[in-house]
Amino acid sequence: MSDVTGAPAGGKPAGLSKSALSWILHQGARDPYVILITIYIFAPYFSRVLIGDPVKGQAAMADIATAYGLITAATAPLLGASIERYGPRKPFLLGVLALMVPLLLALWFATPAGGLSVGVVGVILIALGVAYNWGDVLNNSLLARACEPGQEPLVSGLGYALANFLSVVVLIFMLWGFVLPGAVLWPGIPAAPLFGMPTDAHEPSRLSAPLAALVMVLGAIPFFLWTRDAPRTGLTMIASLRHGARLLVDTFRNLKGHKDVATFLGARMLYCDGMTALLVFGGLFAAGLMGWGELEMLAYGISLSIFGVLGGFLAPWLDKTLGPRRAVQLEIFGCLIVLIGTLGMGRDKILYFWSYDAAAHGPVWNGPLFRTLPELIYLGLGLLIAVFVTAQYASSRTLLVRLAPPDRIAAFFGLFALSGTATVWLGSLLVALATRIFQSQVAGFLPIVGLLLVGTLGLFFVKGGGREA
């Protein structure tokens, strides 16, 4: 016999409850925004088409990431500490949803001519970045409540795996319904784009924003119905803010009493900024360095998202086998090695040392995309990065749950958000400066390598988060 959570009476949880499954769906439905808007589709369109120059576009996106990183760093810790004193997270997550959906719909009007200006689009992207990060603090703080004790690694990993799966579904739908029609005569591909939609004003790239909004709304419905929320404490929001501010000050003051949490958050402040910058600029880098358009970027996003699902399943296994601390180290180190190899790629070179003449070698295959050896190798390196990045995010969240005091989990998730955004403005600023100074996208990525390297070394000073018996 088992209770409503799926846990056998007096025993270990037998399966995931409706509450946990709804949390996983909510996490999975939020993250396609990141895949579609900030990485593979809209951001490269913003850089390549609206700005019109990949180097200037990478610098502009770095400025946007700097802006929402600073705002998040200034607000997320107080939000996390205050919500701990207030109680329920769902009303505020509903507010985040109500803010993000209209802004995403507005991006449809970011046309190359006569639509939203570059400045307005930039402001929208900043507001979306802040709102999404606020939602992360609120959603992450419910992880331990949504599932049974001991299920956090599985639920965390499945959330990221589902996010990549849903992103793949949306990307494939866009590729099948709007990009490939008219470009290929493959069986099953419509003869013309769905709904008679033209593609001369980059409609597929702009459509990514409304689709992200739709997925987000649909995934939120079960969450609001079934995921367990924190109970009301009886404090008003104003009183909660005051208590939260005191709790935040006390949490910072007592970090010296939680040395391992403090060390972990300090290390994560660096390596997560590197990972975030890698995600934010990865699509821009691929589009600019390899000269890829909408077709290639959709296929690239689909491929990396599929392999990102593997990262969501890899993380729980590594957490259990090695412990989340060593799992995070392995995941970052793998990402670092592959990233260094990626920086040595180009349309006319392979891994720094081998030049490649496409005219002399001819296409590797007769398909419509990824026809050269450098493109295929670059794609393969990107697939490995997707696995390591996704696994790192899941393992890092599990590590915090293992290290943080249970009665202050939301406050520490506020610091967790701070550790992921406090210096993201610095990482983005360094990317912007390096890109502008050297007029090179590759040079702009060198600060990311430094952040990953220093961050993973810092984890050697964390005690705890080892393999459980």
Side-chain angles (χ1 to χ4, degrees):
M1 171 179 274
S2 61
D3 60 23
V4 294
T5 67
K12 194 175 180 179
L16 297 178
S17 66
K18 187 183 293 186
S19 171
L21 292 172
S22 300
W23 187 95
I24 291 169
L25 180 59
H26 186 241
Q27 171 77 63
R30 293 185 75 250
D31 286 357
Y33 153 78
V34 177
I35 302 271
L36 295 171
I37 306 303
T38 68
I39 305 178
Y40 298 123
I41 308 302
F42 193 86
Y45 162 72
F46 177 77
S47 171
R48 189 183 71 252
V49 178
L50 296 185
I51 293 181
D53 182 285
V55 174
K56 291 181 180 178
Q58 179 168 299
M61 283 302 301
D63 292 336
I64 290 170
T66 299
Y68 69 67
L70 280 170
I71 296 171
T72 304
T75 56
L78 180 59
L79 172 63
S82 301
I83 202 66
E84 187 73 67
R85 289 298 181 253
Y86 182 77
R89 278 66 154 166
K90 287 184 179 180
F92 299 94
L93 282 165
L94 183 61
V96 168
L97 189 67
L99 175 61
M100 292 190 69
V101 169
L103 291 176
L104 285 168
L105 295 178
L107 291 181
W108 167 257
F109 300 100
T111 56
L116 300 177
S117 67
V118 169
V120 171
V121 174
V123 171
I124 291 175
L125 291 175
I126 290 171
L128 284 169
V130 173
Y132 179 83
N133 286 330
W134 284 347
D136 249 9
V137 173
L138 298 165
N139 192 55
N140 286 341
S141 70
L142 285 180
L143 171 59
R145 292 182 179 273
C147 63
E148 302 305 310
Q151 291 182 337
E152 295 90 352
L154 176 62
V155 172
S156 179
L158 288 178
Y160 282 118
L162 181 62
N164 282 282
F165 173 76
L166 292 176
S167 299
V168 167
V169 171
V170 176
L171 290 170
I172 290 177
F173 173 72
M174 293 175 63
L175 189 66
W176 169 80
F178 302 101
V179 176
L180 288 179
V184 298
L185 297 176
W186 294 348
I189 301 297
L194 297 182
F195 316 120
M197 181 178 292
T199 57
D200 54 340
H202 299 272
E203 281 81 359
S205 293
R206 292 159 41 220
L207 184 64
S208 62
L211 286 176
L214 176 62
V215 173
M216 193 176 293
V217 169
L218 293 177
I221 295 173
F223 171 83
F224 286 112
L225 290 175
W226 295 310
T227 294
R228 288 191 290 268
D229 201 355
R232 282 293 302 268
T233 63
L235 294 178
T236 65
M237 195 60 226
I238 298 299
S240 298
L241 285 171
R242 290 197 300 266
H243 282 269
R246 288 197 292 268
L247 175 61
L248 189 60
V249 171
D250 183 57
T251 299
F252 272 112
R253 185 182 296 125
N254 289 319
L255 273 179
K256 61 183 179 181
H258 302 286
K259 179 181 176 182
D260 293 310
V261 181
T263 304
F264 164 60
L265 292 175
R268 184 179 183 271
M269 187 179 296
L270 298 174
Y271 76 71
C272 187
D273 288 346
M275 291 287 186
T276 301
L278 180 58
L279 287 176
V280 170
F281 304 117
L284 304 178
F285 188 76
L289 187 71
M290 306 306 291
W292 288 344
E294 288 175 347
L295 175 60
E296 289 85 0
M297 290 307 299
L298 274 169
Y300 185 64
I302 291 169
S303 303
L304 268 63
S305 296
I306 290 173
F307 273 72
V309 174
L310 299 180
F313 288 104
L314 176 66
W317 181 79
L318 288 177
D319 293 345
K320 182 178 180 181
T321 304
L322 304 176
R325 179 177 60 83
R326 290 181 179 175
V328 172
Q329 287 178 303
L330 178 62
E331 291 151 1
I332 299 172
F333 184 73
C335 187
L336 181 61
I337 295 300
V338 179
L339 173 59
I340 292 173
T342 300
L343 297 182
M345 295 297 299
R347 292 190 67 86
D348 57 355
K349 67 177 178 179
I350 299 173
L351 297 175
Y352 297 97
F353 303 112
W354 293 278
S355 60
Y356 183 86
D357 184 353
H361 291 86
V364 176
W365 71 303
N366 294 323
L369 73 170
F370 306 142
R371 291 162 56 88
T372 68
L373 185 59
E375 288 181 291
L376 290 175
I377 294 177
Y378 187 93
L379 174 63
L381 294 172
L383 299 179
L384 291 175
I385 287 179
V387 173
F388 289 128
V389 169
T390 304
Q392 170 273 141
Y393 276 117
S395 294
S396 293
R397 188 160 55 190
T398 301
L399 180 55
L400 180 67
V401 172
R402 290 276 298 277
L403 295 175
D407 60 331
R408 296 190 177 185
I409 193 69
F412 273 97
F413 263 117
L415 296 178
F416 186 76
L418 175 62
S419 73
T421 56
T423 54
V424 73
W425 61 269
L426 177 61
S428 301
L429 180 62
L430 292 174
V431 170
L433 288 175
T435 303
R436 287 192 174 103
I437 290 173
F438 297 102
Q439 288 296 297
S440 165
Q441 287 188 281
V442 172
F445 266 60
L446 294 179
I448 298 176
V449 174
L451 289 170
L452 293 177
L453 180 60
V454 177
T456 191
L457 291 176
L459 289 175
F460 282 102
F461 298 95
V462 176
K463 296 180 181 178
R467 185 169 64 89
E468 289 185 325

